[in-house]
């Protein structure tokens, strides 16, 4: 897989800084998209559900405190759509309809997704947006399966990936066309100006909780432009950059089309990774900057 160079203009950088997001059509070539999709297909085919019964749901944050979730900082784990398992831990639907996402160390461990996450093209883009030393900390292959794909509620990525100073940048790449009908990203322009509204932290018992005890409040996800949200519809290969404080969400996928995407969150290695973050890498598995 060759990675073609990709340039961003000063106007695009200014748009990102002003609006808190940037949409870049054709960031990933057709060849790259095909390779990333094929790799995910391999991962999904090899997935053994009975060994991974954990279900991840962004609407039920308490479930994220389980050890499976915390360990996924250091491995490649599978998270299922709510309701994908029956009472006996068996899949109720075919696995390609059951998996919500795969994560969170693909950028370091996967032989295809990893090199793409660290490609010169990606590094140049992140440096252009202001990261002095881009450091990938979290990666997710997002399946958003047809009919079963769940909603991702409004949130800010920096809540989950805290550095001092804040430096989280999200790179999300559509591997299939993402439109309103199959759960594209939505964002609130300029919402990053309001700063990060809360932190998802580890307590002294190694359990996750929201700083202040309650999740931050965000503008209701209206799925229409009148409410201040904009749809970030994206053809396959399009990259969406999100400032860490930009409020964003995606709707459930009730269509018959899947919506595969690959997302990597980068911070600046010059900033300090907070010890209260849920994501903590093992000492013998250090995070390495681009
Ligand atoms: Fe996000």
């Amino acid at each position: 897989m060759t990675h073609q160079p990709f340039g961003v203009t000063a106007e695009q950088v200014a748009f990102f800084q002003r609006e808190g997001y940037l949409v870049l059509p054709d960031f990933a070539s057709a060849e790259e998209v095909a390779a990333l999709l094929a790799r995910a297909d391999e991962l999904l085919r090899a997935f053994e559900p009975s060994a991974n019964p954990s279900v991840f749901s962004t609407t039920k944050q308490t479930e994220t405190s389980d050890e499976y979730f915390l360990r996924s900082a250091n491995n490649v784990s599978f998270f299922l759509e709510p309701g994908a398992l029956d009472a006996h831990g068996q899949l109720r639907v075919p696995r390609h309809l059951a998996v919500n996402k795969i994560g969170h160390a693909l950028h370091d461990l996967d032989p295809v997704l990893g090199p793409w996450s660290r490609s010169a093209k990606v590094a140049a883009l992140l440096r252009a947006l202001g990261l002095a030393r881009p450091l990938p900390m979290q990666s997710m292959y997002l399946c958003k399966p047809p009919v079963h794909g769940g909603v991702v509620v409004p949130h800010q990525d920096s809540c989950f990936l805290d550095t001092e100073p804040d430096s989280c940048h999200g790179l999300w790449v559509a591997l299939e066309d993402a439109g309103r009908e199959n759960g594209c990203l939505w964002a609130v322009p300029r919402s990053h100006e309001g700063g990060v509204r809360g932190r998802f932290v580890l307590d002294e018992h190694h359990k996750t909780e929201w700083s202040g005890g309650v999740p931050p409040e965000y503008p209701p996800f209206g799925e229409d432009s009148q409410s201040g949200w904009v749809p970030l519809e994206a053809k396959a290969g399009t990259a969406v950059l999100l400032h860490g404080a930009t409020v964003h969400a995606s709707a459930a996928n009730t269509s018959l089309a899947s919506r595969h995407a690959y997302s990597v969150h980068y911070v600046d290695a010059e900033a300090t990774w907070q010890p209260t973050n849920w994501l903590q890498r093992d000492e013998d598995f250090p995070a390495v900057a681009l």
Side-chain angles (χ1 to χ4, degrees):
M1 182 166 45
T2 55
H3 303 114
Q4 300 298 320
F6 190 95
V8 284
T9 65
E11 288 75 20
Q12 288 172 316
V13 172
F15 181 94
F16 175 80
Q17 292 170 342
R18 186 179 69 246
E19 303 296 330
Y21 70 93
L22 180 64
V23 179
L24 297 173
D26 301 318
F27 181 75
S29 69
E31 178 194 22
E32 292 168 40
V33 168
L36 297 172
L37 281 169
R39 176 56 185 157
D41 188 57
E42 286 180 6
L43 289 169
L44 287 167
R45 288 176 187 276
F47 169 51
E48 185 47 64
S50 61
N52 299 277
S54 183
V55 176
F56 179 81
S57 166
T58 51
T59 58
K60 296 176 73 175
Q61 291 288 358
T62 52
E63 292 182 13
T64 65
S65 64
D66 74 32
E67 200 57 27
Y68 185 83
F69 174 74
L70 296 177
R71 285 302 307 157
S72 71
N74 293 271
N75 63 32
V76 175
S77 293
F78 291 75
F79 298 90
L80 304 182
E81 294 291 349
L85 296 178
D86 64 19
H88 307 289
Q90 301 297 311
L91 284 179
R92 299 167 63 183
V93 295
R95 69 183 66 183
H96 72 280
L97 299 179
V99 176
N100 170 287
K101 68 177 181 178
I102 309 169
H104 289 100
L106 292 160
H107 58 283
D108 280 326
L109 296 175
D110 190 84
V112 178
L113 296 160
W116 190 87
S117 313
R118 296 177 167 280
S119 61
K121 173 167 68 178
V122 169
L125 171 62
L126 294 167
R127 290 194 181 101
L129 295 180
L131 291 182
R133 292 175 57 210
L135 173 63
M137 286 300 297
Q138 183 206 37
S139 45
M140 299 182 285
Y141 189 91
L142 306 164
C143 298
K144 189 78 91 173
V147 182
H148 301 273
V151 65
V152 175
V153 298
H155 67 281
Q156 297 170 297
D157 292 334
S158 283
C159 296
F160 303 90
L161 303 159
D162 184 9
T163 61
E164 175 54 43
D166 278 312
S167 63
C168 177
H169 285 56
L171 170 63
W172 181 101
V173 180
L175 302 178
E176 298 176 310
D177 294 350
R180 297 186 188 207
E181 69 289 346
N182 64 340
C184 68
L185 285 173
W186 291 70
V188 179
R190 308 193 181 195
S191 52
H192 64 307
E193 293 174 350
V196 184
R197 304 190 191 180
R199 304 289 182 177
F200 187 68
V201 297
L202 282 177
D203 67 14
E204 64 270 28
H205 306 296
H206 209 58
K207 298 292 184 189
T208 55
E209 64 177 11
W210 282 101
S211 56
V214 292
E217 290 190 11
Y218 294 113
F221 182 26
E223 291 180 53
D224 69 75
S225 302
Q226 308 303 316
S227 61
W229 291 80
V230 296
L232 306 181
E233 295 185 285
K235 293 289 186 187
T238 297
V240 177
L241 279 301
L242 290 169
H243 185 284
T246 296
V247 178
H248 61 285
S250 67
N253 182 8
T254 56
S255 80
L256 298 178
S258 58
R259 197 227 62 185
H260 285 209
Y262 180 52
S263 174
V264 186
H265 290 104
Y266 300 82
V267 298
D268 198 325
E270 303 286 316
T272 301
W273 185 252
Q274 299 289 37
T276 48
N277 277 320
W278 74 268
L279 193 157
Q280 298 295 332
R281 291 280 289 256
D282 293 339
E283 280 186 18
D284 60 356
F285 187 33
V288 178
L290 304 184

